[in-house]
Every structure is written in structure tokens, then in C-alpha cells.
């Protein structure tokens, strides 16, 4: 049986939850379709501006750490340059908990959520997007579909925007995306406080991440280490750069010494402002 809504939002990340919150707040019958059961893992540095935390009343237990200083390390000698962030600074979060808190705000505003629903296609009629189908064979209709399904958006592909962004310009999607590797390193709260204080760190340099940068976001017990580069500029495997950064870099290797790697994942970030048009008849893509 087809189910009918005013607005369907695909994806319960920050973009999806905020789009659903606004649509539901405005009175639209709004449905979020999310492929995973929430809260779900999301690779991220997890740095969030304090105005976001205050504006959305993010509960304190989600705030893993508060940063007052951004420390830059630049080649050739990787001297440290500290920038005082002022005010409440920045916060470090884990995205499973943070994103779920945003989804709950959308639900409190009247949006509906269906989990474990992988949207595989849009339904198009006479050139208009009229809804979506899911992998388990369900059909959902709506006046507007908002695609918040992340960097490799299935909705953008299904409605034809993906080809308009890349193929029609003679490019591939990898020409316009940054590839990231993220590692969680367990160090324990005491060591983290001694080594990092209230700083989070950014490192630049061709040998670290060509056309990109590396970061260390300390949390309570772990630190989130990552690096990202324009995919086409990577001369070696991303894991090579990560291992080099963590084990051989003069500053990072000392900061991470004795840590236990508990997770390593990769993810894409769409970088350039090349994704136009970002809307179509009955469809908006949020990136
Ligand atoms: C390694 C890394 C580090 C980063 N660090 C930071 C940082 O420190 N601070 C910061 O502000 N930003 C950071 N970012 C960027 C940030 O993660 C993104 O800007 C943000 O996640 C985008 O939110 P979104 O809601 O558009 O997409 P996402 O957060 O990717 O959410 C998309 C959602 O859609 C769901 N979905 C996907 N496909 C489907 C489908 N077919 N059907 C149904 N559901 C689907 C996914 O499960 C997911 O829940 C980082 C990104 C990466 C990769």
C-alpha cells in the first residue's frame, strides 16, 4: 500500500533531521526514511560549533569535550600555532549520539521516522518526483522529496542529478570529492587531558595529506584522528598516509604514543560547489 506525505526526507543525518524539523514545524506531514536503525555510526571528527549546541539545546552528556584552542601545525618544522577560540569555543561529539539528538528534535516537532528503510529509487511522473521506493518494496508518495542521504546520495543518482553534476561535464564523481580516513585511538581520559588540554589540532603538509589536512579531535577516552584529501591528488593508498601520520610524524606520533587503535574507516566528502542544480521538480538535494 502506498503511503502519502507532504514531505519525505531521505536520511536522518544533521541535514535530514533539520530539514524534517523545519517542515514539520511549518505544518507539513513529514516522514524521515533512514537506512539504518538509530543511533547509527558516522565517521567524523565530531567538531561542533558552540552556537549549534546552544541553539539546539544539545544535552551535556553528548558533549565529549570542550575545545578552547585550535592548534595548527604547519611544515616544514611543524611548529605549533595556537588560536584562542574565545567564548565557549567548540565541542567534540560522537556523531551517533549527536545525530540521534537532532532526530529526536525533529520527532518532537511532529516528524515521523521509519528506520531500516533503504530508499533505492525516486518515483517520477511526467518529469516530477512524486515519491520514493524502498529496497523492501514499499512505496511512499510526497509533494516534495528532500534528499539528505549523504555524499553518495542514492536519490541524487536516481533522479538524474548525479549525471548532471558529473557525467555531463566530462567528470567523474571522484574528481569532485575528498576521501577521508578516520581512526579512533584509545588513550584514556588522564593521558588525553595531559597531552591535549583543551585543544584540538589541525596538521597540513603534502606528506600528510596532499590537497587536504589531518586532524586530531580529543574526546573523553579516545581521540578521533583523521585525514582527508581531494581523491584525485592521492598518490598512495589513504591508509599509507594515515599510518605515516600516526606512527612517523614528529608531533602526531608523540601525541598518539601508547594508544590502541579501536576503529578505522573511510568516507567521502563532497567538496566543491559544483553540485548544481541542487533541486529538480519535486526534489531538493541537501549537501
Ligand atoms: C571523516 C570526516 C570527518 C568530518 N569531520 C567533521 C567535523 O569535525 N565537523 C563537521 O561539522 N563536519 C565534519 N564532517 C562533515 C560532516 O560529516 C557532514 O557535513 C555531515 O555528516 C553531512 O550531513 P548530512 O546529513 O548531509 O549527511 P550524513 O551525515 O552522511 O547523513 C546521511 C544519512 O542518510 C542515510 N542514508 C544514506 N543513504 C540512504 C538511503 N539510500 N536511504 C535511506 N537513508 C540513507 C545515512 O545512513 C545517514 O544517516 C566530516 C566528514 C567526514 C567524512
Amino acid at each position: 500500500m502506498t503511503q502519502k506525505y507532504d514531505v519525505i526526507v531521505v536520511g536522518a543525518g544533521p541535514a535530514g533531521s533539520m530539514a524534517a524539523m523545519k517542515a514539520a514545524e511549518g505544518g507539513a506531514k513529514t516522514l524521515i526514511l533512514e537506512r539504518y536503525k538509530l543511533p547509527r555510526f558516522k565517521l567524523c571528527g565530531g567538531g561542533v560549533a558552540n552556537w549549534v549546541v546552544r541553539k539546539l539545546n544539545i544535552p551535556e552528556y553528548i558533549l565529549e569535550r570542550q575545545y578552547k584552542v585550535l592548534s595548527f601545525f604547519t611544515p616544514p618544522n611543524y611548529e605549533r600555532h595556537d588560536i584562542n577560540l574565545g567564548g565557549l569555543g567548540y565541542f567534540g561529539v560522537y556523531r551517533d549520539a549527536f545525530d540521534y539528538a537532532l532526530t529526536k528534535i525533529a520527532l518532537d516537532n511532529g516528524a515521523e521516522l521509519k528506520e531500516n528503510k533503504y530508499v533505492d529509487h525516486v518515483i517520477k511522473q511526467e518529469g516530477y518526483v512524486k515519491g520514493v521506493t524502498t529496497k523492501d518494496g514499499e512505496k511512499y508518495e510526497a509533494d516534495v522529496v528532500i534528499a539528505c542521504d549523504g555524499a553518495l546520495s542514492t536519490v541524487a543518482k536516481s533522479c538524474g542529478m548525479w549525471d548532471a553534476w558529473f557525467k555531463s561535464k566530462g567528470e567523474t564523481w571522484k574528481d569532485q570529492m575528498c576521501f577521508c580516513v578516520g581512526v579512533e585511538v584509545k588513550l584514556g581520559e588522564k593521558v588525553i587531558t595531559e597531552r591535549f588540554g583543551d585543544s584540538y589540532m589541525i596538521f597540513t603538509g603534502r606528506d600528510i595529506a596532499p590537497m587536504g589536512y589531518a586532524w586530531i579531535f580529543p574526546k573523553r577516552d579516545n581521540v578521533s584522528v583523521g585525514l582527508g584529501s581531494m581523491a584525485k591528488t592521492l598518490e598512495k593508498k589513504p591508509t599509507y598516509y594515515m599510518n605515516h601520520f600516526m606512527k612517523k610524524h614528529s608531533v602526531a606520533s608523540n601525541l598518539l604514543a601508547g594508544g590502541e587503535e579501536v576503529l578505522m574507516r573511510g568516507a567521502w566528502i563532497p567538496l566543491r560547489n559544483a553540485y548544481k542544480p541542487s533541486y529538480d521538480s519535486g526534489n531538493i538535494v541537501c549537501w
Side-chain angles (χ1 to χ4, degrees), residues 11 13-15 34-36 40 42 44-47 95 117 119 148-149:
E34 164 59 45
R35 68 184 291 188
Y36 296 118
R40 56 90 181 94
K42 162 79 191 166
C44 190
R95 288 286 301 278
K117 294 290 170 198
V119 170
C148 300
D149 50 345

Side-chain angles (χ1 to χ4, degrees), residues 14 25-26 35 74 90 98 110-111 121 138 147 155 157 163 165-166 191 194 199 220 254 264 267 271:
E25 203 178 74
R35 68 184 291 188
T74 51
Y90 227 60
F98 179 76
H121 283 102
E138 290 182 348
V155 176
K157 285 173 192 150
D163 281 351
W165 294 336
F166 307 116
V191 174
E194 280 164 13
S199 294
R220 270 189 206 109
N254 286 323
M264 182 187 267
L271 267 196

Side-chain angles (χ1 to χ4, degrees), residues 218-231:
K219 306 286 171 53
R220 270 189 206 109
D221 289 321
N222 295 353
V223 294
S224 303
V225 185
L227 60 82
S229 268
M230 283 303 285

Side-chain angles (χ1 to χ4, degrees), residues 113-127:
L113 168 71
K114 287 184 191 280
E115 297 160 278
N116 296 319
K117 294 290 170 198
Y118 182 93
V119 170
D120 59 357
H121 283 102
V122 297
I123 302 166
K124 261 194 170 182
Q125 285 165 7
E126 295 163 9

Side-chain angles (χ1 to χ4, degrees), residues 9-17 33-36 38 40-49 90 95 99 117-120 134 147-155 178-182 213 215 217 225-228 265-270 286-287:
V9 176
V10 183
S17 292
L33 293 170
E34 164 59 45
R35 68 184 291 188
Y36 296 118
L38 301 181
R40 56 90 181 94
F41 173 83
K42 162 79 191 166
L43 183 69
C44 190
V48 178
Y90 227 60
R95 288 286 301 278
D99 290 13
K117 294 290 170 198
Y118 182 93
V119 170
D120 59 357
T134 57
C148 300
D149 50 345
L152 304 178
S153 175
T154 304
V155 176
C178 178
F179 188 74
C180 301
V181 191
Y213 61 91
W215 61 85
F217 281 88
V225 185
L227 60 82
R265 297 270 175 94
W268 294 94
I269 302 185
C286 295
W287 264 15

Side-chain angles (χ1 to χ4, degrees), residues 3-4 7 14 31 33 41 46 48 54 56 61 66 70 95 104 116 129-130 134 140 168 175 213 218 240-241 252 287:
Q3 300 170 64
K4 175 87 179 76
V7 175
L31 173 67
L33 293 170
F41 173 83
V48 178
R54 279 185 285 129
L56 296 172
Y61 74 89
Q66 189 173 14
L70 165 57
R95 288 286 301 278
K104 282 181 185 157
N116 296 319
V129 174
K130 291 287 186 188
T134 57
Y140 297 88
S168 66
D175 291 331
Y213 61 91
Y240 167 86
Y241 292 98
W287 264 15

